[in-house]
Amino acid sequence: PFDLKSVDELEIIGCNFYKVASADIVHIPLIEKIARINKPIILSTGYSTYSDIDRAVTKLDEFKSNYSLLHCTASYPAKVEDMNLNCIPKMIQKYPNALSIGLSDHENGIDCATIAYLLGARIFEKHFTLNRSNKGTDNAFSLEPQGMKKLVRNIKRINIAIGNSS
C-alpha cells in the first residue's frame, strides 16, 4: 500500500503480509498503521540512508513486528557496480531483530542474487514477466520463466556446492 486508505482496503480482502516500498520507508504513519495490524512486513530500503532505516525499524520494533528488510538499489535496471551488496552483512549486524535480510534485485541478470545469498540474504524480490518484449517499465530487466528457474536453481545449489570442510 502507498497510503493509509489502501491498508484498510487490503485488510478487507485479507492481505497476509505487507511490503513497504522503498519510497515509503520515510512514511512513518504508514509503517505504524501496518505495524499495528500485526502481520509480517517486508520493508525495502532503496533511496534510504541508515538513519531512515533506523527510524522505520524503531517503529517496527516498538510494535514487536515480524519484519524483513530488503537491500535495494533503486534504479531500473540497476547497474552491477551500483548494487553495493556489502550492505547486506552490515544490515544483518545492524538490525538483529529483523526476521531476515534480503535483496530487492533490479539487476538485469541473476548474478547479484547469488552473491547476495553468499553474503547472508535470505529473501529475494525479483521482477518477473512472461515476455521481456512486452510493453511496460519493468519488462526490460525482468526475468522470464526460464531465467527465474535458473535463479532459483542457482540459489538452491549454493549450500550443496559449499559443502563442508571435512
Side-chain angles (χ1 to χ4, degrees), residues 17-18 20 31 34-35 39-43 60 65-68:
F17 71 95
Y18 289 90
V20 177
I31 291 170
I34 294 170
K39 289 184 180 175
I41 300 166
I42 299 172
L43 180 64
L60 295 172
S65 298
N66 177 356
Y67 64 91
S68 296

Side-chain angles (χ1 to χ4, degrees), residues 2-160:
F2 296 106
D3 56 57
L4 301 175
K5 182 180 178 200
S6 295
V7 175
D8 295 331
E9 292 170 356
L10 287 170
E11 273 303 289
I12 290 168
I13 63 171
C15 186
N16 294 321
F17 71 95
Y18 289 90
K19 180 188 180 236
V20 177
S22 293
D24 288 323
I25 194 167
V26 295
H27 192 337
I28 298 302
L30 177 65
I31 291 170
E32 181 174 344
K33 182 165 185 149
I34 294 170
R36 287 180 183 278
I37 295 170
N38 198 28
K39 289 184 180 175
I41 300 166
I42 299 172
L43 180 64
S44 192
T45 62
Y47 300 116
S48 63
T49 63
Y50 281 110
S51 59
D52 294 330
I53 301 169
D54 291 346
R55 274 190 300 280
V57 163
T58 297
K59 185 56 67 177
L60 295 172
D61 286 342
E62 179 183 323
F63 287 92
K64 299 184 180 5
S65 298
N66 177 356
Y67 64 91
S68 296
L69 301 172
L70 298 178
H71 168 62
C72 176
T73 300
S75 58
Y76 307 91
K79 295 178 183 175
V80 172
E81 61 268 23
D82 294 335
M83 292 295 289
N84 296 315
L85 296 177
N86 270 324
C87 290
I88 292 168
K90 181 173 181 173
M91 290 172 71
I92 291 168
Q93 180 182 19
K94 189 169 173 55
Y95 304 108
N97 292 338
L99 178 65
S100 61
I101 303 297
L103 176 66
S104 176
D105 185 4
H106 303 125
E107 176 226 354
N108 189 9
I110 61 174
D111 297 328
C112 287
T114 305
I115 296 165
Y117 185 92
L118 288 167
L119 292 170
R122 292 300 182 265
I123 183 173
F124 297 87
E125 173 191 349
K126 188 71 174 172
H127 292 232
F128 179 79
T129 184
L130 294 176
N131 187 336
R132 289 176 75 179
S133 65
N134 287 343
K135 289 184 180 180
T137 56
D138 295 350
N139 277 334
F141 65 89
S142 298
L143 292 181
E144 291 177 319
Q146 193 61 32
M148 186 63 77
K149 285 178 186 177
K150 287 179 181 178
L151 172 68
V152 171
R153 179 204 65 198
N154 289 356
I155 289 174
K156 286 181 175 180
R157 291 164 74 184
I158 291 172
N159 286 328
I160 296 166

